[in-house]
Amino acid sequence: IEDRCLARPLNVRALLNAAEADRAVIQALAAKGDPTLAKLTADSYDRGRSDGLLQGLRRTVRELCELLAIELTPDRQGHIDSLDAEALERLCADLKQNRCWGRDQE
């Protein structure tokens, strides 16, 4: 269905199928540049970047431990998983400098 009052043509299937209708609404909101949808998209992107950064830092800590022959006990694994990005960066720096797992890291 095409009409100038629609932001984009509407697929007839969207009238008969709830999932198609949802997709049509989202596509129309995106075509209109809806600020709420744009904010949701930006928030999702930011969460993805943050999650990716954490995964990369955790992987880096684990690889440093492997290279330095530092045992990764279950407690240490849990500790790594509990840290935020800033703490993981400090842990990386400490591992590189001291070449061991320090007491304050437990």
Side-chain angles (χ1 to χ4, degrees), residues 9-23:
L10 180 62
N11 188 326
V12 175
R13 272 187 270 164
L15 298 173
L16 306 172
N17 180 301
E20 288 290 329
D22 290 346
R23 281 190 282 283

Side-chain angles (χ1 to χ4, degrees), residues 56-69 72:
L57 288 169
R58 288 179 180 134
R59 182 179 308 140
T60 299
V61 168
R62 289 181 173 103
E63 288 175 357
L64 276 171
C65 288
E66 182 181 337
L67 287 170
L68 297 170
L72 280 178

Side-chain angles (χ1 to χ4, degrees), residues 44-61:
S44 178
Y45 176 81
D46 290 343
R47 277 192 309 276
R49 280 190 71 198
S50 178
D51 290 348
L53 175 64
L54 285 173
Q55 286 178 0
L57 288 169
R58 288 179 180 134
R59 182 179 308 140
T60 299
V61 168

Side-chain angles (χ1 to χ4, degrees), residues 7-8 24-41:
R8 53 175 285 133
V25 169
I26 292 168
Q27 290 170 345
L29 291 171
K32 288 172 49 176
D34 181 78
T36 302
L37 183 59
K39 180 165 179 5
L40 288 171
T41 302

